[in-house]
Each structure stands twice: as C-alpha cells, then as structure tokens.
Amino acid sequence: MRIQNKMKSLACMVIPMVLLATQANAQMGVGTKSSTNATEIVTTGGNVIVDNTGKVGVLVAGPKVAIDLRSGGTNGSVAIGNTTQTAAAAGKGALRYVNSPAIGVKGYLEYSDGTKWVSFFPNGKPRIVVMANKTTQNTEVFEGADSGPKAGLMQRRSSYLTNWTEKLDSDSGVPTANFNPTTGEFVAPRAGVYFATFTYALSNQFVQSGSSNQTEAIWEVRNSANVITQRVKTNNGYASDSGNAVANTLPIGSACTVSVYLNQGDKLRPFSWISTEFSDTYLSQFNTANSGVYNALTIVEQ
C-alpha cells in the first residue's frame, strides 16, 4: 500500500510538469505536424500563420507587419465593411467602407481620427455641378403690383429669371434633380460651400441720362422654410446718356458670382433689377443669339 501511494504521489507531480512543458513549447498546427510557427493552418491556397512574435501572415511565410497579405498572388486583398460606431468609439486609425451611391459615387473609405470619420475619395470629392443657358424671354416679377410672368425684364421691378435650358445637373457624374430649370431654383442636397455665377445680356437699348441707370444681377438664398437669408448683388452703372434713342443704343447686362454657404435644403435662385429706360411698363428683351451664350448659369459645389 505504501509503495502504491508513493507511486500515485509521484505521478501527480510528474503529469503537471509534463503538461507545463508541453504548453510552453508546443506549436499548434492544423494540417501539419511540424510547424515552426506558434500557429499554422494549411489550406489548398497556402498557409495562414501566426509567427512567434504575433504577426499574422495570410498565404505569407514570413509576415513583416501585424497582418501581412502580400502573398504575391492575385487574391491578397482585404475586405472591410460599414459600422454605425462613432469615430470616437471605433478609435483613431479605424477604417470603414461606406456604400452610398446616393451622393454620386458607388462607395468610399473613411478613417477615424479619434473624433470624426474622415472621407477618402480616390476620384476626388463628390461634387454637385449645374449648368444651364437661357434662350427664352421668360421672367417672373415677384415684387410690386405687376407681379407675375413677363416676356423680358420689366424696368424697376425685381424679376426671377425663369425657363432655363438645363445642360447638366449631376452629383459626381450621376444625374440628379437639384436644379429646377422651369423656376431657375437650385436646392442644396447637402451642406457646404457652393460657387455660383450667372450672367445675362439684353438687346441693345437707349440709356437715358439721369440718376439710377443700372442693371443688377442678384443671387437670392432662402432656407428650407422659404425665408430669405441673404441676397448678393452686382450693380453695373451707366453714368452717361447714350444719346439718340434710336441710333445710339448700348449693350446692357450684368453678372453675379458668389461663393456661398448653403445648409441642406437651402435654395439659391437668380434674379435681376434694371433701370435704364424710365418707363415702368417697358420690357427689356434678352439677347438670345448664339443659343443663349450670353445668358448662362453655373453652380459648383466646392
């Protein structure tokens, strides 16, 4: 009995020592019995290893970085997905893929700087681009007793320039409907800075001497509740009399270029105010020669 008890005691001491030695020195392999790495999985395409320093190699025998996919083959890519985590929760250096064709691109990468997600667009930042020409006489007086549609610009009245011919309305090359060519109104699909310019030219006309000879090109901004938030204008003055009303007419026109910050849903619309002929009922006609090259509108997201 004493001999048996001693043998049991000896066995209890030896087995843990053997297990400890095995745990300290053994390599784990799947599909192999002679791996020199901490972990190695044999596949038909190549091996996946975790070396003794903790580096992971996918089809790479000697990984150089924490995760090494540079096998030299054609399938060494890495796939990442989207996440609803905040940039702070994901942590600085995290990556995510955003599948968002709604903004014109088919998807893009973002990385976390620890505070916000920063977008990376390999083909450049998505941009809204609108281009249009005006080849009609359509306007709409919107202030005063003469409000309503007109065929030309009414003297001393604020008039929207309406009925444009749309050339382009796109978001990163994808057609959109941010611009209404009938009204001439643009609605910002997202907040940002927009570069906007429009120009118009009228048929030559007599400039009468006196004060207030001018043509104004004006951009109007309204918020999503249709409240005017700002107006930016360019004023072209005509200081001298052009002389004979029949023989000595002058080209009349104006242009306005702005960089304006718009919130999502804000509206941008061009209009004009002119005072050359001193008749409140006189309508100045647009010069629509050359398919409206004198009357053009461009809006570009910055």
Side-chain angles (χ1 to χ4, degrees):
M1 289 293 293
R2 290 182 181 177
I3 294 174
Q4 289 179 348
N5 289 336
K6 287 182 179 180
M7 291 296 292
K8 288 180 180 179
S9 297
L10 182 59
C12 289
M13 294 174 62
V14 171
I15 291 173
M17 292 176 65
V18 171
L19 291 176
L20 182 61
T22 302
Q23 186 176 16
N25 298 315
Q27 311 298 322
M28 187 176 75
V30 177
T32 179
K33 296 181 179 180
S34 59
S35 175
T36 59
N37 294 295
T39 301
E40 184 165 359
I41 302 173
V42 177
T43 75
T44 57
N47 295 357
V48 179
I49 68 167
V50 178
D51 70 11
N52 295 321
T53 65
K55 296 184 180 70
V56 178
V58 180
L59 314 185
V60 177
K64 304 297 183 184
V65 293
I67 299 178
D68 201 330
L69 308 176
R70 297 168 294 185
S71 64
T74 59
N75 296 312
S77 60
V78 59
I80 58 174
N82 203 349
T83 178
T84 57
Q85 283 184 300
T86 65
K92 186 181 296 186
L95 287 173
R96 71 176 182 180
Y97 174 76
V98 181
N99 182 20
S100 183
I103 65 165
V105 293
K106 298 304 181 184
Y108 56 94
L109 293 176
E110 288 186 333
Y111 70 88
S112 168
D113 65 2
T115 303
K116 62 182 181 298
W117 289 105
V118 180
S119 301
F120 170 69
F121 304 104
N123 296 319
K125 181 180 180 290
R127 294 187 190 281
I128 304 294
V129 179
V130 172
M131 293 182 177
N133 288 339
K134 183 163 175 56
T135 58
T136 70
Q137 299 297 334
N138 299 90
T139 64
E140 183 180 352
V141 173
F142 63 92
E143 291 178 339
D146 299 301
S147 295
K150 304 296 177 184
L153 285 175
M154 192 171 187
Q155 294 287 327
R156 293 185 169 185
R157 296 292 187 271
S158 295
S159 303
Y160 290 125
L161 278 61
T162 59
N163 197 15
W164 294 79
T165 299
E166 182 182 293
K167 299 297 183 181
L168 181 68
D169 183 2
S170 76
D171 190 345
S172 303
V174 176
T176 54
N178 298 315
F179 178 68
N180 184 332
T182 301
T183 63
E185 185 176 76
F186 168 79
V187 180
R190 52 181 174 265
V193 176
Y194 292 81
F195 174 86
T197 184
F198 81 96
T199 181
Y200 68 87
L202 303 175
S203 298
N204 290 4
Q205 64 185 75
F206 175 60
V207 177
Q208 197 171 42
S209 61
S211 61
S212 301
N213 281 327
Q214 62 191 46
T215 58
E216 296 178 357
I218 307 161
W219 279 110
E220 177 184 86
V221 180
R222 293 176 180 261
N223 62 21
S224 57
N226 214 36
V227 176
I228 297 172
T229 58
Q230 62 177 310
R231 284 174 171 172
V232 183
K233 70 171 66 176
T234 298
N235 176 13
N236 291 352
Y238 300 88
S240 63
D241 194 329
S242 65
N244 184 280
V246 176
N248 299 316
T249 57
L250 296 175
I252 301 297
S254 191
C256 186
T257 299
V258 298
S259 285
V260 60
Y261 184 86
L262 300 178
N263 291 305
Q264 183 178 8
D266 281 358
K267 305 167 185 177
L268 186 65
R269 193 174 185 183
F271 74 92
S272 175
W273 190 93
I274 66 171
S275 178
T276 50
E277 290 278 1
F278 287 175
S279 169
D280 286 347
T281 59
Y282 185 82
L283 286 173
S284 296
Q285 299 292 300
F286 290 99
N287 183 344
T288 57
N290 299 317
S291 301
V293 295
Y294 298 117
N295 309 290
L297 173 152
T298 300
I299 301 170
V300 180
E301 182 184 13
Q302 300 298 288

